Amino acid sequence: MTEMKRTTISLPDDLYHAIFELRKDERYMRCSYSEIVRRLVEIGLDVSHDGEPKAGDHRPDPAPAQ
């Protein structure tokens, strides 16, 4: 049995279908849905670690210190 934790998330239909469409891409053709999601999360984490906000990053700016 695997040591990975299971997590449940809700995805809007368009994102759900877009992830399944990736299976048509040669890089993801042999991957399970879970493996595709894991790879996408890893890519997103790598991108977010450079400290620059990315398109789609909708977190509000922190309130300025007074």
Side-chain angles (χ1 to χ4, degrees):
M1 184 138 225
T2 181
E3 294 294 322
M4 290 189 274
K5 301 288 185 199
R6 288 181 172 261
T7 302
T8 301
I9 62 169
S10 298
L11 300 173
D13 286 342
D14 57 336
L15 187 54
Y16 175 81
H17 293 296
I19 293 170
F20 267 104
E21 284 293 311
L22 286 174
R23 295 198 72 190
K24 295 178 182 176
D25 185 309
E26 198 172 289
R27 295 170 293 175
Y28 300 102
M29 196 173 289
R30 296 176 182 235
C31 295
S32 67
Y33 181 75
S34 295
E35 181 62 23
I36 294 171
V37 172
R38 279 193 290 273
R39 289 182 184 192
L40 293 174
V41 169
E42 287 176 357
I43 291 167
L45 288 172
D46 288 344
V47 169
S48 71
H49 284 303
D50 68 9
E52 295 293 321
K54 302 296 177 213
D57 186 359
H58 301 295
R59 288 178 289 160
D61 292 332
Q66 293 180 350

